[in-house]
Amino acid sequence: MTFVPSPHITQNWVLSKPSAHGRRGIVVSQAASAAEAGIAVLNAGGNAVDAAVATALALAAAEPWNSGLGGIGFALVHRAGEPRAEVVDFGPVAPRGLDPSAFRLTGRMKQDLFAWPEVAGDANIHGPLSFAIPSSAAGYAHMHATWGKLPLAEVIAPAIALAKRGLPQDWFTTLKVAASAAVLRRYPESARIYLPDGLPPVAPYQGKPGFFRLGALAETLEQLGRTGLRDLYEGDVAQAIIADVEDMGGVLSAEDLRSCQVRVLPPPQYQWRGHTLQLAGGLTAAPTMVRVLDQMARVGTGSAPDADWFLAFTRAMKAAYAERLAGLGDAGLMGADTCTSHLTVCDQDGTMVALTTTLLSSMGSRVVLPRSGILMNNGVMWFDPQPNQPNSIGGGKRPLTNMSPIILRQADRPWFAAGGSGGRRILAAVTQMMAFVTDFGMSLEQAAHHPRVDVSDPGYVSADVRLATEIIDALRSDGRVEVVERSVMPINFACPNAIISNGDGSRSGISDIASPWSAALAQ
């Protein structure tokens, strides 16, 4: 007989994730322990901003490969009683001393997260020259000082406790560390923490996994709790960062840290299905989302997204990305590893926060600074290493990013907040989640579990294997389609999460169904 194997399925099981419901606060995070930190702060009398900052700080210890004190990000904050949200922009900025000539091109193309020309030694991807100014703590400091209620010592306390406990040494940690091990081993403190005996930490064959400490991170968080988050820019923590950077031959300077400030801006707004969509602004995926919605506004909707809807959506995404690539300088996505964290929070008063923060690549620059335990971003990778391009490397410049936190409001009341991780895949995921709810009346649980497509490049579509045959056939009639799983790894789709806060006081939240540690929790 002739046997033809069927396509290999990595996860031969049904993905499912519980949602959270309540009438007070909800916190959704890609790490359940970080969501617990946010809930603890709400229970202590904090508001949604306190909880968002607590959750983000906790992620430094609970999900270090995606975000932390060495990262950057954007947040939307819509306070109850206010007519609109505000954008807190703590996005990437290159160090002022960054010299484009330090990034010598080899003449080859690099197949990494972005299809950039290869730089000698991958200096733009890992190591001390890849650092953008770490602005996450500046963003959290501004949010807490402007809108928070609780003292910083209470807001940061869960992050300190998690850092002292250590990172879980389970199978997911093994997977994430192993994916970056080839580069982590090049940097002594990174290797010491994440590669004991030269290998990734492995969970025990039986019983409960243990925990391991992330270098000096707990002590740094304690220092910030005593002196304030600006210590990372102006105090002892800043001095420790600069000492390590100088030892490594980097160009991030004390002046870069001292001058690190956030921008607070009004959100771009867009009318969508009877709601007002509030976006994070120009150097995120927001302009591309608007172009997609312009094209989708005239597409009919029925009881569920069918072949015609998905075909229209993928065409809109292809056209919008072709425009983005031609006009804004972003490069094609090549890698498969998500490298960002999104959290969504609401409180009992109705304030909502959508916050996306990232190290860019998984494990960022792969450099843990030994004096502070801070894992640094590799934000320089967002820049095109070729000279004279719209997005070329330059000191003090801001690159284009892919983050897309959103908040929809009903009249002046925040109603739906969402965002995701996953690089260029974020836009497709967040847009579909929003459309499933607004266009088709799905609950958050239904929307999160519904199969999706991804379009991160004008050349092809990734389609969830769970989609109906007629939908996949329709997509194939329009071009190249890859039918893939929604799995832990490879990561073929972004990881969105969301909260709905209804006018009657009921709230619901959901985290990404394929993220093993993620959770939505209610007070």
Side-chain angles (χ1 to χ4, degrees), residues 499-514:
I499 291 175
I500 286 179
S501 177
N502 292 310
D504 63 2
S506 62
R507 283 85 187 261
S508 61
I510 190 76
S511 67
D512 176 58
I513 66 170

Side-chain angles (χ1 to χ4, degrees), residues 9-13 15-17 30 65-66 170-176 179 336-339 362 421 425 484-495 512-518:
I9 300 296
T10 299
Q11 296 181 172
N12 189 24
W13 53 58
L15 287 172
S16 181
K17 184 76 70 166
Q30 289 176 193
W65 36 79
N66 280 351
D170 70 5
W171 67 267
F172 188 54
T173 296
T174 301
L175 185 64
K176 299 302 289 188
D337 199 6
T338 184
C339 44
S362 184
S421 69
R425 295 177 173 88
V484 294
E485 292 178 77
R486 191 166 171 185
S487 58
V488 174
M489 189 173 286
I491 302 169
N492 296 306
F493 300 92
C495 304
D512 176 58
I513 66 170
S515 300
W517 286 1
S518 71

Side-chain angles (χ1 to χ4, degrees), residues 41 72 88-89 92 109 135 138 165-166 193 285 308 310 350 361 371 379 394 402 404 435 492 498 505:
V41 165
I72 59 89
V88 184
D89 175 353
M109 293 299 292
S135 52
R165 182 198 70 177
I193 293 170
D308 290 340
F310 275 108
S361 290
R371 290 176 173 90
N402 304 297
S404 190
N492 296 306

